[in-house]
């Protein structure tokens, strides 16, 4: 990927909206993550992989196109929630990168959601330009696989 590391954001000046934190109840992943910049309820509800990452599906907010999949740790999610731009954590480079900093293909956050299990995020964005580092609109353009089409009953 050609994106460069994202700058470290300044401390948030506004609180994270209550709608971004899951309803109270027993945490999905057990005890709170110490040192997490996320609200406690959200930090507790996220299920991370062994590297501390959660998958983030990126979708165009108005057309519903699935644009790409990226990975976020707590800091990348915090930066995304507080900056209005999407920040990922690069597994290969082991650093943060904010989509569009070098390419100009910015992802403006429109909404964030967490799935029922807490192991996937849905980031709805207004995508400027190509979402894929190959220059295509989505990371799925031209990559269809042959599959038997099912029929509902």
């Amino acid at each position: 990927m050609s994106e460069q590391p994202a700058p470290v954001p300044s401390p948030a000046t506004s609180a994270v909206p209550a709608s971004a934190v899951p309803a109270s109840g027993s945490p999905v992943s057990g005890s709170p993550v110490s040192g997490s910049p996320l609200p406690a309820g959200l930090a507790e509800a996220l299920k991370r992989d062994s590297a501390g990452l959660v998958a983030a599906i990126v979708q165009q907010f108005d057309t519903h196109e699935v644009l790409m999949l990226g990975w976020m740790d707590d800091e990348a999610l915090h930066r995304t929630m507080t900056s209005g731009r999407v920040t990922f954590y690069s597994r290969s480079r082991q650093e943060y990168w904010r989509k569009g900093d070098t390419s100009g293909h910015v992802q403006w956050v429109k909404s964030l959601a967490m799935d029922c299990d807490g192991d996937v995020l849905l980031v709805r964005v207004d995508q400027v330009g190509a979402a894929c580092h190959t220059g295509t609109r989505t990371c799925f353009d031209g990559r269809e696989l042959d599959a038997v089409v099912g029929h509902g009953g």
Side-chain angles (χ1 to χ4, degrees):
M1 292 181 215
S2 62
E3 302 292 342
Q4 295 299 312
V8 176
S10 59
T13 56
S14 62
V16 174
S19 61
V21 180
S24 24
S26 58
V28 176
S29 64
S31 62
V33 176
S34 90
S36 173
L38 299 173
L42 177 56
E44 291 171 359
L46 282 176
K47 280 188 192 171
R48 299 157 190 83
D49 68 10
S50 61
L53 302 175
V54 62
I57 299 167
V58 181
Q59 180 183 46
Q60 176 65 30
F61 82 102
D62 52 357
T63 65
H64 307 292
E65 294 169 282
V66 175
L67 301 172
M68 61 176 287
L69 171 77
W71 295 92
M72 294 183 180
D73 65 2
D74 287 18
E75 179 62 28
L77 179 55
H78 172 73
R79 292 180 188 193
T80 298
M81 292 174 75
T82 59
S83 71
R85 297 260 315 268
V86 181
T87 297
F88 297 103
Y89 186 79
S90 169
R91 297 180 301 170
S92 59
R93 294 188 316 266
Q94 297 188 350
E95 63 186 15
Y96 298 103
W97 58 280
R98 190 169 64 176
K99 188 71 172 168
D101 277 354
T102 59
S103 66
H105 299 168
V106 177
Q107 292 176 338
W108 297 105
V109 176
K110 294 299 182 182
S111 67
L112 288 163
M114 179 175 59
D115 81 328
C116 59
D117 294 323
D119 59 359
V120 178
L121 299 168
L122 177 60
V123 186
R124 291 186 184 101
V125 302
D126 189 7
Q127 175 70 49
V128 176
C132 187
H133 69 279
T134 64
T136 57
R137 171 73 181 162
T138 83
C139 291
F140 303 97
D141 287 348
R143 296 170 181 89
E144 290 79 16
L145 302 175
D146 289 333
V148 172
V149 177
H151 299 280

